[in-house]
Amino acid sequence: MAETEASSDSAAGMTLDAVRDALVRQEDTIIFYLIERAKFPINSPTYDESRASILGFGGSLVQFIVKETEAAQAKAGRFQNPEEHPFFPDVTPPSLVPPYDYPLVLHRAADFINVNDQIWDMYFKELLPLLTEPGDDGNYASTASSDLNCLQAISRRIHYGNFVAEVKFRDAPQDYEPAIRAQDRDALMKLLTFEAVEEMVKKRVEKKAKIFSQEVTLNSTESKGKYKINPSMVSRLYGEWIMPLTKHVEVEYLLRRLD
Amino acid sequence: MAETEASSDSAAGMTLDAVRDALVRQEDTIIFYLIERAKFPINSPTYDESRASILGFGGSLVQFIVKETEAAQAKAGRFQNPEEHPFFPDVTPPSLVPPYDYPLVLHRAADFINVNDQIWDMYFKELLPLLTEPGDDGNYASTASSDLNCLQAISRRIHYGNFVAEVKFRDAPQDYEPAIRAQDRDALMKLLTFEAVEEMVKKRVEKKAKIFSQEVTLNSTESKGKYKINPSMVSRLYGEWIMPLTKHVEVEYLLRRLD
């Protein structure tokens, strides 16, 4: 059994270090897309569901763009990758491409976890007003595509909690099994929480936001403290929403890990 | 006439400074998307047209993703903005949204200019082999969406040549009119070429690529010379392809500017 697990670990390259590297790399992606979304003002007609009847879409313009783009990506096989989760799973068409042999890492517990509804609400209700300036420049379609980039990057990061949980479980099943058998969410959440690590992540993403959103000129090497997005907002995004939702995914996964 | 032009300038906010600021900001966008594309290996099945019959698409997977995504964006009004140009104009559906009142800046000359075929060839034949590592990780749909982000950012930058040409023409029509009347491409190209400026742009994008593609850690403030993309490749992209194609757009625009 130990041998089987070791070989499947190596097939998947899925060590705790590899998981951490992936999460660190995903921070850059999230920050790049936030900077690109902040290029546009809030552009509120993008989110106005009462325009639906005018437009002939079944919902707001952003819902239309997300559904249509996800549908094309789904046909091209995007959601065959266990890292990817659609925002509109009920209308996601099946893949038309031959299946790719993704490494089998996760327990089937992951199949039941999709927190994109919570991510959607957080993004539009909490984050977007902090990220954007008021205003309307008419670029609703580009704005919605930019939102989709942010949503998908944040969703991938949060659902990566499945991999985090799996790797942590494999490393020390004896630590998790009692809480799983007792279906004790609080105990699992405690086991998965490392405040010092979370503080470090918040500091790192704030530093990244400063570096990536500075105005780079040839003459000065120092940014003049003028950033395209607010670095402390990125720290807050991680502290209040991304890390808690990732741990929520981890707990949900572990609760089913012995089924 | 001068007064009309002045007021239309101010309505559009379209000064040479504003155009330059837009071009500088677009450098960041292009570099972010290149970094994101470089996260995936080349993933050549994304570009294999001979897979078309298997997949039931009319072309390669990237053609499918670009066409479908552009179609959704077109319905949502993306190409009403004179800064945006589709890669598949022959199959681009009309907008379903009420027209937005974009400032009228350009002469109708711009309506005849779309160099996306050249951008497509440059991107896939020249740039992508320099940008990506060999390999296949199965993420063809995400790869294709990432390509679309790069293509659209590069296309917007190059077609911004229309605005560059318009603003330069308005600033000094007497300089351009003789060459336009003579339909002298070489003379126009000479008038539009400032080697010192081009060298500065190449240096700046290389510096941006270094800053944005470095690995940021909490402990060291200096990058250890390890970049996610090759900074000199970005300089070459600008020097060999983006700036020449932008000037090509400028020349094409000016040739029709007195029609």
Side-chain angles (χ1 to χ4, degrees):
Chain A
M1 177 71 181
E3 201 180 349
T4 313
E5 285 195 355
S7 75
S8 97
D9 276 7
S10 96
M14 201 45 85
T15 61
L16 197 50
D17 278 347
V19 166
R20 276 197 197 116
D21 286 349
L23 293 176
V24 167
R25 177 63 187 84
Q26 288 178 48
E27 292 165 3
D28 300 34
T29 301
I30 290 170
I31 293 168
F32 292 154
Y33 289 143
L34 293 177
I35 293 171
E36 286 306 300
R37 175 59 186 87
K39 204 162 57 168
F40 302 106
I42 182 85
N43 277 341
S44 49
T46 314
Y47 313 110
D48 185 353
E49 293 197 28
S50 69
R51 290 175 91 231
S53 57
I54 311 170
L55 305 180
F57 305 153
S60 65
L61 196 139
V62 74
Q63 286 169 330
F64 173 77
I65 286 285
V66 171
K67 273 182 205 168
E68 294 283 313
T69 311
E70 271 195 353
Q73 293 174 345
K75 290 177 192 166
R78 181 186 184 105
F79 302 107
Q80 293 187 336
N81 184 335
E83 294 178 28
E84 304 287 351
H85 296 74
F87 280 86
F88 293 99
D90 296 344
V91 295
T92 304
S95 169
L96 302 178
V97 302
Y100 180 84
D101 195 20
Y102 289 102
L104 267 178
V105 177
L106 299 178
H107 186 273
R108 67 181 182 283
D111 298 345
F112 301 95
I113 300 169
N114 184 333
V115 299
N116 276 342
D117 281 352
Q118 284 160 268
I119 294 170
W120 182 277
D121 283 349
M122 177 280 288
Y123 179 80
F124 290 109
K125 290 180 188 158
E126 312 281 351
L127 184 62
L128 211 48
L130 300 175
L131 179 65
T132 57
E133 300 287 333
D136 183 339
D137 69 2
N139 289 306
Y140 314 133
S142 299
T143 296
S145 296
S146 218
D147 287 325
L148 177 58
N149 282 335
C150 293
L151 286 166
Q152 289 185 328
I154 293 170
S155 171
R156 193 179 311 112
R157 196 305 180 179
I158 287 170
H159 289 96
Y160 218 78
N162 290 316
F163 292 91
V164 177
E166 175 62 24
V167 169
K168 285 184 173 175
F169 177 82
R170 284 194 208 175
D171 259 16
Q174 69 285 357
D175 292 354
Y176 294 95
E177 280 177 9
I180 296 172
R181 288 192 204 288
Q183 292 287 294
D184 186 339
R185 287 169 189 275
D186 295 342
L188 286 171
M189 189 57 89
K190 233 175 220 168
L191 283 167
L192 295 165
T193 299
F194 299 89
E195 280 180 22
V197 174
E198 294 182 11
E199 282 308 308
M200 197 190 63
V201 171
K202 284 167 61 181
K203 276 189 197 140
R204 187 174 57 226
V205 295
E206 184 163 343
K207 183 175 174 188
K208 286 184 175 183
K210 283 182 181 168
I211 290 173
F212 299 153
S213 83
Q214 67 181 298
E215 301 209 3
V216 176
T217 60
L218 273 180
N219 299 322
S220 70
T221 44
E222 280 303 304
S223 167
K224 299 139 217 152
K226 204 182 152 196
Y227 302 117
K228 297 189 189 78
I229 57 173
N230 180 348
S232 67
M233 181 270 298
V234 179
S235 169
R236 187 173 161 199
L237 166 66
Y238 264 78
E240 290 187 25
W241 298 302
I242 288 183
M243 290 192 292
L245 276 168
T246 306
K247 285 193 291 182
H248 172 71
V249 166
E250 292 174 45
V251 169
E252 291 299 313
Y253 181 87
L254 288 172
L255 284 171
R256 296 177 177 87
R257 181 58 178 79
L258 297 176
D259 291 359
Chain B
M1 177 71 181
E3 201 180 349
T4 314
E5 286 196 354
S7 74
S8 96
D9 276 8
S10 94
M14 201 45 84
T15 61
L16 196 52
D17 278 348
V19 167
R20 277 197 195 116
D21 287 349
L23 293 177
V24 167
R25 177 63 187 82
Q26 289 178 46
E27 293 165 3
D28 301 33
T29 302
I30 290 170
I31 293 168
F32 292 154
Y33 289 143
L34 293 178
I35 294 170
E36 285 306 300
R37 174 59 186 86
K39 204 162 56 167
F40 302 106
I42 182 83
N43 276 341
S44 48
T46 314
Y47 313 110
D48 184 353
E49 295 198 26
S50 68
R51 289 176 89 229
S53 58
I54 310 170
L55 306 178
F57 307 153
S60 64
L61 195 139
V62 73
Q63 286 170 329
F64 172 78
I65 284 286
V66 171
K67 273 183 205 167
E68 294 284 313
T69 310
E70 271 196 354
Q73 294 174 344
K75 291 178 192 167
R78 180 184 185 107
F79 302 107
Q80 293 187 337
N81 184 335
E83 294 177 29
E84 304 286 352
H85 296 74
F87 280 86
F88 293 99
D90 297 344
V91 295
T92 304
S95 169
L96 302 178
V97 302
Y100 180 83
D101 195 18
Y102 290 101
L104 268 178
V105 177
L106 299 179
H107 186 273
R108 66 181 182 283
D111 298 344
F112 302 94
I113 299 168
N114 184 333
V115 298
N116 277 342
D117 281 351
Q118 285 160 266
I119 294 170
W120 182 278
D121 282 349
M122 178 279 289
Y123 179 80
F124 290 108
K125 289 180 189 159
E126 312 280 351
L127 184 62
L128 211 49
L130 299 175
L131 179 65
T132 57
E133 300 286 332
D136 183 339
D137 70 1
N139 289 304
Y140 315 133
S142 300
T143 296
S145 296
S146 217
D147 287 325
L148 178 58
N149 282 335
C150 293
L151 286 166
Q152 289 184 329
I154 293 170
S155 171
R156 192 179 313 111
R157 194 310 178 174
I158 287 170
H159 290 95
Y160 218 77
N162 289 316
F163 292 91
V164 177
E166 176 61 25
V167 169
K168 285 185 172 175
F169 176 83
R170 285 194 209 176
D171 259 17
Q174 69 285 356
D175 292 355
Y176 294 94
E177 280 176 11
I180 296 171
R181 288 191 206 289
Q183 293 287 294
D184 186 339
R185 287 168 189 273
D186 294 342
L188 286 170
M189 189 57 90
K190 232 175 219 168
L191 283 166
L192 294 165
T193 300
F194 299 90
E195 279 180 22
V197 174
E198 294 182 10
E199 283 308 308
M200 196 190 64
V201 171
K202 284 167 59 181
K203 274 189 197 141
R204 187 174 56 229
V205 295
E206 184 163 342
K207 183 174 174 187
K208 285 184 176 182
K210 282 182 182 168
I211 289 173
F212 298 153
S213 83
Q214 67 181 298
E215 301 209 1
V216 176
T217 59
L218 273 180
N219 300 323
S220 70
T221 45
E222 281 303 305
S223 167
K224 298 139 221 151
K226 203 182 153 195
Y227 302 117
K228 297 188 189 77
I229 58 174
N230 180 348
S232 67
M233 181 270 300
V234 178
S235 170
R236 186 173 162 199
L237 166 65
Y238 264 78
E240 290 187 26
W241 298 301
I242 288 184
M243 290 194 291
L245 276 169
T246 306
K247 287 194 290 182
H248 171 72
V249 167
E250 293 175 44
V251 169
E252 291 299 312
Y253 181 86
L254 288 172
L255 284 171
R256 295 178 177 87
R257 180 60 179 76
L258 298 176
D259 291 358

